[in-house]
Amino acid sequence: MQSLDERCLRYLAEAVGCGSVRAAADKLNVNASAVSRQLAQMEVQLATPLIERHRRGVRATPAGSLLLDYYRRQASDREDILAKLTDLKGLRRGHIDVVLGEGFVGDLMSGLLQGFWGRHPDLTMTLDLAATNDVVRRVVEDEAHLGLVYNPPPEPRLRTHLAMPQPIRVLVRANHPLAAHPGPVRLADLAGHRLGTMHPAYGIRQIIAAAERAEGVRLDPVLITGSIGVLKQFVASGIGVTLLPAFCAAQEVAEGSLAALPLADPGLDGVEAQIVTRLGRQLPPAAGTLLQHLARGMAGEAKGEARNSSSSR
């Protein structure tokens, strides 16, 4: 086979990404038989299977994974060239894909994106919410230009542009008995209180699990969810308490409806929120401009919070 058909490569990428040939065909608005036929022809031409079927759909073989890596690199290179041409026109157009944890939404919508769009009104953006592990995957696989992630696992393919300390706190309703607790709260102090936590796929829950092992404590949450909003409602309604970074509920804490209590475990203080990209990727101008804007804005907010905390002491 002297060349790789870009259409076949796209069919392969969509089939693996969607998990099935039929779902890929629906997304591409073509017949499922056409997708199957093109994939089969490419397997014959390359003399190797590219996908394998299992109970939940399809996944890439090792050969298929090589082709997908090639396709993503080609797409990224094409995007870079087109973006550079757009840059010559002065950022009058461009689209940015951002994947982030739910806790960052408040910071973005409270002013950072308003300021960005005020300067660049013609740029468009996709904001997708995802768990920590999925944020990392989508950034390293070039499905997103930028990732905003809390406590990402070690990943050599990631580049961190900004890391901000964001310690985990016990969030309680302002009139909850724990709100009067003297000094930092230990995880053992949460026994007897109804607890809500994030799903284990999220960095927040992974940090808490490590603290449980360090303290020799086992937490038994009554609520496990993938939504920070659900946890805040759980606390605000008086049903129970939760463990989240304080920035996730900054507005509610500032209004006085919730209280954020420090924890005694030092491991829960040393965690960070990060802005990340794939190591070695040259971002299109629109995404690069957003990255600089977010890094400056979020770093400025962190300094302001540190000054306020220091003056309050």
Side-chain angles (χ1 to χ4, degrees):
M1 189 175 185
Q2 299 300 313
S3 63
L4 295 171
D5 187 313
E6 184 172 342
R7 181 176 59 174
C8 291
L9 290 174
R10 187 182 179 198
Y11 285 178
L12 174 63
E14 294 294 351
V16 173
C18 294
S20 74
V21 170
R22 180 169 297 280
D26 290 342
K27 182 176 179 180
L28 295 165
N29 197 28
V30 298
N31 291 329
S33 59
V35 176
S36 294
R37 183 168 59 253
Q38 291 289 337
L39 293 177
Q41 289 177 356
M42 188 161 57
E43 288 180 325
V44 170
Q45 291 171 323
L46 293 173
T48 185
L50 302 177
I51 59 173
E52 55 187 11
R53 289 171 171 79
H54 57 98
R55 287 184 301 174
R56 296 184 178 179
V58 299
R59 60 188 171 206
T61 64
S65 294
L66 286 176
L67 286 180
L68 289 176
D69 287 342
Y70 166 79
Y71 175 73
R72 290 170 183 141
R73 288 196 303 271
Q74 291 290 98
S76 179
D77 289 345
R78 185 187 309 110
E79 183 182 43
D80 288 345
I81 292 297
L82 293 175
K84 288 174 183 175
L85 293 174
T86 300
D87 192 33
L88 295 177
K89 301 176 182 178
L91 276 183
R92 289 195 296 270
R93 64 179 64 182
H95 185 80
I96 311 160
D97 291 302
V98 182
V99 60
L100 65 157
E102 184 186 355
F104 292 93
V105 172
D107 278 351
L108 290 184
M109 295 305 181
S110 65
L112 286 174
L113 287 186
Q114 292 175 2
F116 179 76
W117 268 315
R119 295 182 181 90
H120 309 289
D122 297 324
L123 298 182
T124 60
M125 193 180 308
T126 297
L127 293 177
D128 284 332
L129 302 184
T132 299
N133 296 345
D134 202 35
V135 171
V136 171
R137 180 192 65 78
R138 293 179 63 175
V139 170
V140 299
E141 293 183 1
D142 288 342
E143 293 181 14
H145 298 109
L146 311 176
L148 279 71
V149 62
Y150 191 72
N151 192 52
E155 171 52 71
R157 293 172 291 176
L158 277 186
R159 177 184 175 188
T160 300
H161 296 267
L162 178 68
M164 302 161 293
Q166 293 288 359
I168 290 178
R169 298 290 187 244
V170 183
L171 286 184
V172 301
R173 198 160 72 167
N175 60 356
H176 191 278
L178 267 180
H181 190 278
V185 179
R186 296 174 302 125
L187 293 183
D189 295 329
L190 300 180
H193 297 283
R194 298 173 68 83
L195 177 68
T197 66
M198 295 295 288
H199 190 277
Y202 289 78
I204 296 170
R205 188 66 184 92
Q206 294 163 13
I207 301 164
I208 295 167
E212 288 178 69
R213 292 191 293 270
E215 283 195 32
V217 173
R218 179 183 175 85
L219 298 176
D220 293 311
V222 300
L223 172 66
I224 299 173
T225 179
S227 169
I228 288 173
V230 168
L231 288 179
K232 290 196 292 185
Q233 288 295 323
F234 175 77
V235 174
S237 65
I239 298 174
V241 304
T242 191
L243 295 161
L244 287 174
F247 81 99
C248 294
Q251 181 176 347
E252 292 86 351
V253 171
E255 292 171 349
S257 60
L258 299 184
L261 312 178
L263 284 152
D265 191 312
L268 298 174
D269 269 339
V271 290
E272 298 175 328
Q274 299 182 13
I275 303 177
V276 298
T277 62
R278 177 176 62 77
L279 183 66
R281 182 175 190 182
Q282 181 174 345
L283 292 176
T289 301
L290 177 62
L291 171 61
Q292 294 173 5
H293 178 83
L294 293 181
R296 286 195 302 267
M298 296 174 80
E301 287 181 356
K303 289 179 182 178
E305 290 172 2
R307 285 195 298 269
N308 292 338
S309 175
S310 176
S311 63
S312 67
R313 297 194 193 101

